[in-house]
Amino acid sequence: MGLSRFFPELISAVAVFLLILHSPSMCLGIRTFPNNNGGLTDSGFNDHFGFSEAPDYRNGVECPSITSSSGDPSLVHVAMTLDSEYLGLNGGVLRHASCPEHIFFHFIAGEFDPTSPRVLTRIVRSVFPSLTFKLYVFREDAVINLISSSIRPALENPLNYARNYLGDIIDPSVKRVIYLDSDLVLVDDISKLWEVKISEGKIIGAPEYCHANFTKYFTDSFWSDPVLNRVFGSRKPCYFNTGVMVMDLEKWREGHFRNKIENWMELQRKNRIYELGSLPPFLLVFGGNVEPIDHRWNQHGLGGDNVAGSCRGLHPGPVSLLHWSGKGKPWVRLDERKPCPLDYLWEPYDLYKGKGQVQHHQRQEQHLVLPSNLGVTKLPLSISIVNTLKIEVDLPLSLSRH
């Protein structure tokens, strides 16, 4: 596959760099614990599971002091899911953070995952030694009987529905959280996203896409039902992607929004009103009442659609987060030697040692003539201009495993 064929997409890729450069019924909590890897050093443990160790991210002198409590108001809380098939730990969150030690990760693993929670915890600790986190085990039987078939089997994974239960899973002392899907790369300071204000009467914030055809997310039987099609009332719903959300957990718990989502899932089991997985119930409950967040925080759809997973380019505008939502995943396409141009932006974040190296060597040096209208006003620390034609990329790291 010739690079010249995808020259516009490659230019977009370069532009990205220049622009950024408990409820007991729901889960069990597993905290980090002292190093005791059953005779294996951290290095040996990483080698055993095939991962490299990430840099040790620390706060600068300008960062305020923090306590060891997850309830410290200065912390930025981030929730993500983990499983043994794909361990997505976004080191970009840490690398681009102004105060990385202020980020507290809440990782959610499925109870039926073949890799034990203790082993998952040890992997995370050994790969990201400076990470502050807690691992929760999501009791999948809480949702498994509510899941209906979808257009893509991967969307039926119970772990996709863990976001519905964050108010129950995460410690009650945590009042607010950023939920992130695992198939994304954050390339900006997450504290900017954390500072988004959620208005009175709203529970979540997310980038909205009001130009999208909202009707396609529900079946004809939904829109033809005289009761169901009035569910939005005076609201004007827009599509939003649930892979990036700022959530007010205090309001979520008070409003019993988990139950409201479950009610729609129960109706779906009886009368099929949508074809996708965990997204439509969120649209039904929150559509038209979402705190709008700048589109730069979710450049989604890079994985193509839910059927073909074809290559896609970036949406117009600045980029703070790249999201491979859709069928095509960058780590799969790279390993199959069938990458899309933007998949190369993922590769430097991948700490899995078993990944293919061909693309890395092919992409170490690219000679591109940059257009003069990129509007670059700031260069990140992770990229340097060597001369007017050559760009050398030294990206932050994260962890992935297929």
Side-chain angles (χ1 to χ4, degrees), residues 178 180 184 186-194 196 206-207 209 243-245 293-300 318-323:
I178 296 173
L180 296 177
L184 55 79
L186 191 134
V187 290
D188 203 344
D189 188 349
I190 197 169
S191 66
K192 299 176 185 177
L193 183 58
W194 182 253
V196 169
Y209 303 89
V244 180
M245 294 186 291
I293 294 177
D294 194 292
H295 289 177
R296 69 186 303 151
W297 290 105
N298 196 351
Q299 279 269 351
H300 68 289
V319 179
S320 291
L321 185 149
L322 299 159
H323 187 188

mmCIF file of all heavy atoms in Angstrom, residues 178 180 184 186-194 196 206-207 209 243-245 293-300 318-323:
data_model
loop_
_atom_site.group_PDB
_atom_site.id
_atom_site.type_symbol
_atom_site.label_atom_id
_atom_site.label_comp_id
_atom_site.label_asym_id
_atom_site.label_seq_id
_atom_site.Cartn_x
_atom_site.Cartn_y
_atom_site.Cartn_z
ATOM 1 N N ILE A 178 -14.379 10.989 34.672
ATOM 2 C CA ILE A 178 -14.308 10.977 33.209
ATOM 3 C C ILE A 178 -14.293 9.528 32.772
ATOM 4 O O ILE A 178 -13.402 8.772 33.179
ATOM 5 C CB ILE A 178 -13.049 11.696 32.696
ATOM 6 C CG1 ILE A 178 -13.082 13.178 33.062
ATOM 7 C CG2 ILE A 178 -12.909 11.542 31.184
ATOM 8 C CD1 ILE A 178 -11.785 13.912 32.736
ATOM 9 N N LEU A 180 -13.626 6.876 29.839
ATOM 10 C CA LEU A 180 -12.936 6.766 28.564
ATOM 11 C C LEU A 180 -12.990 5.332 28.063
ATOM 12 O O LEU A 180 -12.712 4.394 28.818
ATOM 13 C CB LEU A 180 -11.457 7.178 28.704
ATOM 14 C CG LEU A 180 -11.145 8.622 29.097
ATOM 15 C CD1 LEU A 180 -9.646 8.802 29.250
ATOM 16 C CD2 LEU A 180 -11.706 9.613 28.091
ATOM 17 N N LEU A 184 -8.753 4.436 22.471
ATOM 18 C CA LEU A 184 -8.505 5.842 22.161
ATOM 19 C C LEU A 184 -7.132 6.274 22.653
ATOM 20 O O LEU A 184 -6.509 5.600 23.472
ATOM 21 C CB LEU A 184 -9.606 6.736 22.747
ATOM 22 C CG LEU A 184 -9.920 6.655 24.248
ATOM 23 C CD1 LEU A 184 -8.904 7.441 25.070
ATOM 24 C CD2 LEU A 184 -11.327 7.143 24.542
ATOM 25 N N LEU A 186 -5.399 9.836 24.098
ATOM 26 C CA LEU A 186 -5.581 11.223 24.511
ATOM 27 C C LEU A 186 -4.278 11.970 24.303
ATOM 28 O O LEU A 186 -3.216 11.492 24.711
ATOM 29 C CB LEU A 186 -6.016 11.284 25.971
ATOM 30 C CG LEU A 186 -6.495 12.654 26.426
ATOM 31 C CD1 LEU A 186 -7.783 12.550 27.227
ATOM 32 C CD2 LEU A 186 -5.422 13.340 27.261
ATOM 33 N N VAL A 187 -4.355 13.129 23.661
ATOM 34 C CA VAL A 187 -3.153 13.872 23.275
ATOM 35 C C VAL A 187 -3.200 15.311 23.782
ATOM 36 O O VAL A 187 -2.670 16.220 23.157
ATOM 37 C CB VAL A 187 -2.967 13.832 21.736
ATOM 38 C CG1 VAL A 187 -2.590 12.446 21.276
ATOM 39 C CG2 VAL A 187 -4.230 14.308 21.017
ATOM 40 N N ASP A 188 -3.828 15.506 24.913
ATOM 41 C CA ASP A 188 -3.938 16.828 25.515
ATOM 42 C C ASP A 188 -4.000 16.632 27.023
ATOM 43 O O ASP A 188 -4.135 15.502 27.519
ATOM 44 C CB ASP A 188 -5.192 17.539 24.991
ATOM 45 C CG ASP A 188 -5.107 19.050 25.099
ATOM 46 O OD1 ASP A 188 -4.240 19.546 25.844
ATOM 47 O OD2 ASP A 188 -5.918 19.752 24.454
ATOM 48 N N ASP A 189 -3.935 17.719 27.752
ATOM 49 C CA ASP A 189 -3.980 17.656 29.209
ATOM 50 C C ASP A 189 -5.405 17.349 29.656
ATOM 51 O O ASP A 189 -6.330 18.138 29.421
ATOM 52 C CB ASP A 189 -3.517 18.997 29.796
ATOM 53 C CG ASP A 189 -3.340 18.957 31.304
ATOM 54 O OD1 ASP A 189 -3.772 17.973 31.944
ATOM 55 O OD2 ASP A 189 -2.762 19.917 31.848
ATOM 56 N N ILE A 190 -5.587 16.218 30.317
ATOM 57 C CA ILE A 190 -6.925 15.783 30.693
ATOM 58 C C ILE A 190 -7.573 16.716 31.720
ATOM 59 O O ILE A 190 -8.792 16.734 31.871
ATOM 60 C CB ILE A 190 -6.895 14.334 31.229
ATOM 61 C CG1 ILE A 190 -8.304 13.733 31.212
ATOM 62 C CG2 ILE A 190 -6.269 14.278 32.625
ATOM 63 C CD1 ILE A 190 -8.349 12.244 31.472
ATOM 64 N N SER A 191 -6.760 17.512 32.413
ATOM 65 C CA SER A 191 -7.341 18.459 33.379
ATOM 66 C C SER A 191 -8.257 19.465 32.688
ATOM 67 O O SER A 191 -9.207 19.977 33.299
ATOM 68 C CB SER A 191 -6.233 19.185 34.147
ATOM 69 O OG SER A 191 -5.473 20.021 33.295
ATOM 70 N N LYS A 192 -8.009 19.747 31.412
ATOM 71 C CA LYS A 192 -8.886 20.658 30.660
ATOM 72 C C LYS A 192 -10.275 20.051 30.497
ATOM 73 O O LYS A 192 -11.286 20.748 30.583
ATOM 74 C CB LYS A 192 -8.286 20.959 29.294
ATOM 75 C CG LYS A 192 -6.929 21.647 29.319
ATOM 76 C CD LYS A 192 -6.369 21.808 27.911
ATOM 77 C CE LYS A 192 -4.974 22.371 27.906
ATOM 78 N NZ LYS A 192 -4.410 22.447 26.524
ATOM 79 N N LEU A 193 -10.324 18.756 30.258
ATOM 80 C CA LEU A 193 -11.610 18.076 30.145
ATOM 81 C C LEU A 193 -12.286 17.985 31.505
ATOM 82 O O LEU A 193 -13.502 18.138 31.616
ATOM 83 C CB LEU A 193 -11.398 16.676 29.556
ATOM 84 C CG LEU A 193 -12.638 15.824 29.297
ATOM 85 C CD1 LEU A 193 -13.605 16.519 28.356
ATOM 86 C CD2 LEU A 193 -12.248 14.445 28.742
ATOM 87 N N TRP A 194 -11.500 17.758 32.531
ATOM 88 C CA TRP A 194 -12.030 17.662 33.894
ATOM 89 C C TRP A 194 -12.688 18.973 34.335
ATOM 90 O O TRP A 194 -13.632 18.962 35.124
ATOM 91 C CB TRP A 194 -10.894 17.295 34.846
ATOM 92 C CG TRP A 194 -11.269 17.114 36.280
ATOM 93 C CD1 TRP A 194 -11.001 17.956 37.313
ATOM 94 C CD2 TRP A 194 -11.975 16.009 36.853
ATOM 95 N NE1 TRP A 194 -11.487 17.467 38.492
ATOM 96 C CE2 TRP A 194 -12.086 16.258 38.244
ATOM 97 C CE3 TRP A 194 -12.508 14.839 36.336
ATOM 98 C CZ2 TRP A 194 -12.712 15.373 39.109
ATOM 99 C CZ3 TRP A 194 -13.137 13.954 37.200
ATOM 100 C CH2 TRP A 194 -13.241 14.216 38.561
ATOM 101 N N VAL A 196 -14.525 20.944 32.678
ATOM 102 C CA VAL A 196 -15.819 21.216 32.043
ATOM 103 C C VAL A 196 -16.913 21.290 33.105
ATOM 104 O O VAL A 196 -17.032 20.410 33.962
ATOM 105 C CB VAL A 196 -16.162 20.118 31.010
ATOM 106 C CG1 VAL A 196 -17.608 20.245 30.557
ATOM 107 C CG2 VAL A 196 -15.215 20.201 29.819
ATOM 108 N N ALA A 206 -20.637 15.540 27.003
ATOM 109 C CA ALA A 206 -19.999 14.822 25.900
ATOM 110 C C ALA A 206 -20.083 15.682 24.647
ATOM 111 O O ALA A 206 -20.975 16.528 24.525
ATOM 112 C CB ALA A 206 -20.689 13.473 25.661
ATOM 113 N N PRO A 207 -19.180 15.467 23.692
ATOM 114 C CA PRO A 207 -19.336 16.137 22.395
ATOM 115 C C PRO A 207 -20.600 15.648 21.695
ATOM 116 O O PRO A 207 -20.846 14.439 21.619
ATOM 117 C CB PRO A 207 -18.073 15.713 21.631
ATOM 118 C CG PRO A 207 -17.084 15.362 22.687
ATOM 119 C CD PRO A 207 -17.901 14.740 23.781
ATOM 120 N N TYR A 209 -23.203 15.669 18.208
ATOM 121 C CA TYR A 209 -23.112 15.762 16.749
ATOM 122 C C TYR A 209 -24.538 15.865 16.203
ATOM 123 O O TYR A 209 -25.160 14.866 15.835
ATOM 124 C CB TYR A 209 -22.366 14.547 16.190
ATOM 125 C CG TYR A 209 -20.985 14.429 16.797
ATOM 126 C CD1 TYR A 209 -20.791 13.707 17.970
ATOM 127 C CD2 TYR A 209 -19.896 15.077 16.227
ATOM 128 C CE1 TYR A 209 -19.530 13.627 18.554
ATOM 129 C CE2 TYR A 209 -18.632 15.011 16.810
ATOM 130 C CZ TYR A 209 -18.461 14.275 17.971
ATOM 131 O OH TYR A 209 -17.218 14.202 18.557
ATOM 132 N N GLY A 243 -18.187 6.899 24.450
ATOM 133 C CA GLY A 243 -16.812 6.519 24.753
ATOM 134 C C GLY A 243 -16.016 7.576 25.478
ATOM 135 O O GLY A 243 -14.954 7.300 26.036
ATOM 136 N N VAL A 244 -16.524 8.812 25.488
ATOM 137 C CA VAL A 244 -15.887 9.915 26.216
ATOM 138 C C VAL A 244 -16.993 10.710 26.892
ATOM 139 O O VAL A 244 -17.785 11.373 26.221
ATOM 140 C CB VAL A 244 -15.071 10.835 25.289
ATOM 141 C CG1 VAL A 244 -14.431 11.974 26.089
ATOM 142 C CG2 VAL A 244 -14.001 10.046 24.545
ATOM 143 N N MET A 245 -17.062 10.616 28.208
ATOM 144 C CA MET A 245 -18.106 11.331 28.946
ATOM 145 C C MET A 245 -17.549 11.862 30.260
ATOM 146 O O MET A 245 -16.767 11.200 30.932
ATOM 147 C CB MET A 245 -19.278 10.391 29.275
ATOM 148 C CG MET A 245 -20.053 9.879 28.094
ATOM 149 S SD MET A 245 -21.517 8.919 28.590
ATOM 150 C CE MET A 245 -20.742 7.457 29.308
ATOM 151 N N ILE A 293 -19.664 19.401 24.899
ATOM 152 C CA ILE A 293 -18.225 19.535 25.058
ATOM 153 C C ILE A 293 -17.616 19.680 23.666
ATOM 154 O O ILE A 293 -18.108 19.103 22.696
ATOM 155 C CB ILE A 293 -17.633 18.314 25.798
ATOM 156 C CG1 ILE A 293 -18.154 18.282 27.240
ATOM 157 C CG2 ILE A 293 -16.112 18.339 25.797
ATOM 158 C CD1 ILE A 293 -17.691 17.068 28.034
ATOM 159 N N ASP A 294 -16.539 20.434 23.568
ATOM 160 C CA ASP A 294 -15.898 20.672 22.281
ATOM 161 C C ASP A 294 -15.577 19.361 21.572
ATOM 162 O O ASP A 294 -15.105 18.401 22.192
ATOM 163 C CB ASP A 294 -14.607 21.472 22.504
ATOM 164 C CG ASP A 294 -14.054 22.064 21.214
ATOM 165 O OD1 ASP A 294 -13.606 21.282 20.350
ATOM 166 O OD2 ASP A 294 -14.078 23.301 21.069
ATOM 167 N N HIS A 295 -15.807 19.336 20.260
ATOM 168 C CA HIS A 295 -15.592 18.123 19.464
ATOM 169 C C HIS A 295 -14.151 17.635 19.498
ATOM 170 O O HIS A 295 -13.900 16.456 19.214
ATOM 171 C CB HIS A 295 -15.997 18.381 18.011
ATOM 172 C CG HIS A 295 -17.473 18.509 17.829
ATOM 173 N ND1 HIS A 295 -18.054 18.802 16.611
ATOM 174 C CD2 HIS A 295 -18.505 18.394 18.712
ATOM 175 C CE1 HIS A 295 -19.366 18.857 16.746
ATOM 176 N NE2 HIS A 295 -19.662 18.622 18.010
ATOM 177 N N ARG A 296 -13.221 18.488 19.841
ATOM 178 C CA ARG A 296 -11.817 18.088 19.870
ATOM 179 C C ARG A 296 -11.577 16.946 20.852
ATOM 180 O O ARG A 296 -10.605 16.204 20.739
ATOM 181 C CB ARG A 296 -10.939 19.277 20.229
ATOM 182 C CG ARG A 296 -11.090 19.773 21.669
ATOM 183 C CD ARG A 296 -10.310 21.057 21.928
ATOM 184 N NE ARG A 296 -8.902 20.890 21.626
ATOM 185 C CZ ARG A 296 -8.115 21.884 21.223
ATOM 186 N NH1 ARG A 296 -8.609 23.103 21.052
ATOM 187 N NH2 ARG A 296 -6.836 21.659 20.991
ATOM 188 N N TRP A 297 -12.493 16.780 21.828
ATOM 189 C CA TRP A 297 -12.319 15.765 22.855
ATOM 190 C C TRP A 297 -12.863 14.402 22.442
ATOM 191 O O TRP A 297 -12.843 13.467 23.254
ATOM 192 C CB TRP A 297 -12.955 16.221 24.162
ATOM 193 C CG TRP A 297 -12.185 17.342 24.783
ATOM 194 C CD1 TRP A 297 -12.525 18.668 24.817
ATOM 195 C CD2 TRP A 297 -10.915 17.246 25.430
ATOM 196 N NE1 TRP A 297 -11.554 19.399 25.446
ATOM 197 C CE2 TRP A 297 -10.550 18.544 25.838
ATOM 198 C CE3 TRP A 297 -10.047 16.181 25.710
ATOM 199 C CZ2 TRP A 297 -9.355 18.803 26.501
ATOM 200 C CZ3 TRP A 297 -8.859 16.442 26.377
ATOM 201 C CH2 TRP A 297 -8.533 17.746 26.766
ATOM 202 N N ASN A 298 -13.320 14.259 21.215
ATOM 203 C CA ASN A 298 -13.694 12.922 20.735
ATOM 204 C C ASN A 298 -13.687 12.902 19.209
ATOM 205 O O ASN A 298 -14.741 13.001 18.574
ATOM 206 C CB ASN A 298 -15.051 12.488 21.274
ATOM 207 C CG ASN A 298 -15.277 10.990 21.110
ATOM 208 O OD1 ASN A 298 -14.503 10.295 20.449
ATOM 209 N ND2 ASN A 298 -16.351 10.483 21.708
ATOM 210 N N GLN A 299 -12.506 12.757 18.653
ATOM 211 C CA GLN A 299 -12.383 12.550 17.204
ATOM 212 C C GLN A 299 -12.673 11.068 16.970
ATOM 213 O O GLN A 299 -11.769 10.234 16.839
ATOM 214 C CB GLN A 299 -10.975 12.933 16.736
ATOM 215 C CG GLN A 299 -10.789 14.418 16.538
ATOM 216 C CD GLN A 299 -11.114 14.869 15.114
ATOM 217 O OE1 GLN A 299 -11.312 14.054 14.231
ATOM 218 N NE2 GLN A 299 -11.189 16.177 14.902
ATOM 219 N N HIS A 300 -13.955 10.728 16.967
ATOM 220 C CA HIS A 300 -14.381 9.327 16.962
ATOM 221 C C HIS A 300 -14.561 8.805 15.536
ATOM 222 O O HIS A 300 -14.439 9.537 14.558
ATOM 223 C CB HIS A 300 -15.689 9.182 17.735
ATOM 224 C CG HIS A 300 -16.863 9.833 17.053
ATOM 225 N ND1 HIS A 300 -17.009 11.195 16.972
ATOM 226 C CD2 HIS A 300 -17.925 9.301 16.411
ATOM 227 C CE1 HIS A 300 -18.119 11.476 16.314
ATOM 228 N NE2 HIS A 300 -18.692 10.348 15.955
ATOM 229 N N PRO A 318 -9.469 21.113 15.542
ATOM 230 C CA PRO A 318 -8.376 20.663 16.408
ATOM 231 C C PRO A 318 -8.665 19.306 17.039
ATOM 232 O O PRO A 318 -9.815 18.860 17.089
ATOM 233 C CB PRO A 318 -8.292 21.766 17.471
ATOM 234 C CG PRO A 318 -9.661 22.360 17.500
ATOM 235 C CD PRO A 318 -10.175 22.277 16.090
ATOM 236 N N VAL A 319 -7.623 18.666 17.552
ATOM 237 C CA VAL A 319 -7.727 17.311 18.093
ATOM 238 C C VAL A 319 -7.107 17.255 19.483
ATOM 239 O O VAL A 319 -5.965 17.663 19.677
ATOM 240 C CB VAL A 319 -7.005 16.298 17.181
ATOM 241 C CG1 VAL A 319 -7.091 14.888 17.763
ATOM 242 C CG2 VAL A 319 -7.576 16.330 15.777
ATOM 243 N N SER A 320 -7.861 16.754 20.440
ATOM 244 C CA SER A 320 -7.319 16.472 21.774
ATOM 245 C C SER A 320 -7.415 14.990 22.104
ATOM 246 O O SER A 320 -6.769 14.540 23.061
ATOM 247 C CB SER A 320 -8.074 17.275 22.848
ATOM 248 O OG SER A 320 -7.798 18.648 22.738
ATOM 249 N N LEU A 321 -8.220 14.252 21.338
ATOM 250 C CA LEU A 321 -8.417 12.833 21.620
ATOM 251 C C LEU A 321 -8.774 12.106 20.331
ATOM 252 O O LEU A 321 -9.663 12.532 19.595
ATOM 253 C CB LEU A 321 -9.520 12.658 22.673
ATOM 254 C CG LEU A 321 -9.805 11.265 23.205
ATOM 255 C CD1 LEU A 321 -10.290 11.346 24.662
ATOM 256 C CD2 LEU A 321 -10.842 10.528 22.377
ATOM 257 N N LEU A 322 -8.070 11.017 20.041
ATOM 258 C CA LEU A 322 -8.314 10.176 18.875
ATOM 259 C C LEU A 322 -9.022 8.904 19.331
ATOM 260 O O LEU A 322 -8.557 8.234 20.259
ATOM 261 C CB LEU A 322 -6.996 9.813 18.197
ATOM 262 C CG LEU A 322 -6.172 10.986 17.668
ATOM 263 C CD1 LEU A 322 -4.710 10.574 17.494
ATOM 264 C CD2 LEU A 322 -6.737 11.481 16.355
ATOM 265 N N HIS A 323 -10.120 8.561 18.672
ATOM 266 C CA HIS A 323 -10.960 7.458 19.149
ATOM 267 C C HIS A 323 -11.273 6.513 17.989
ATOM 268 O O HIS A 323 -11.946 6.892 17.039
ATOM 269 C CB HIS A 323 -12.252 8.033 19.748
ATOM 270 C CG HIS A 323 -13.117 7.013 20.409
ATOM 271 N ND1 HIS A 323 -14.396 7.306 20.857
ATOM 272 C CD2 HIS A 323 -12.917 5.712 20.710
ATOM 273 C CE1 HIS A 323 -14.925 6.226 21.395
ATOM 274 N NE2 HIS A 323 -14.049 5.245 21.313
#
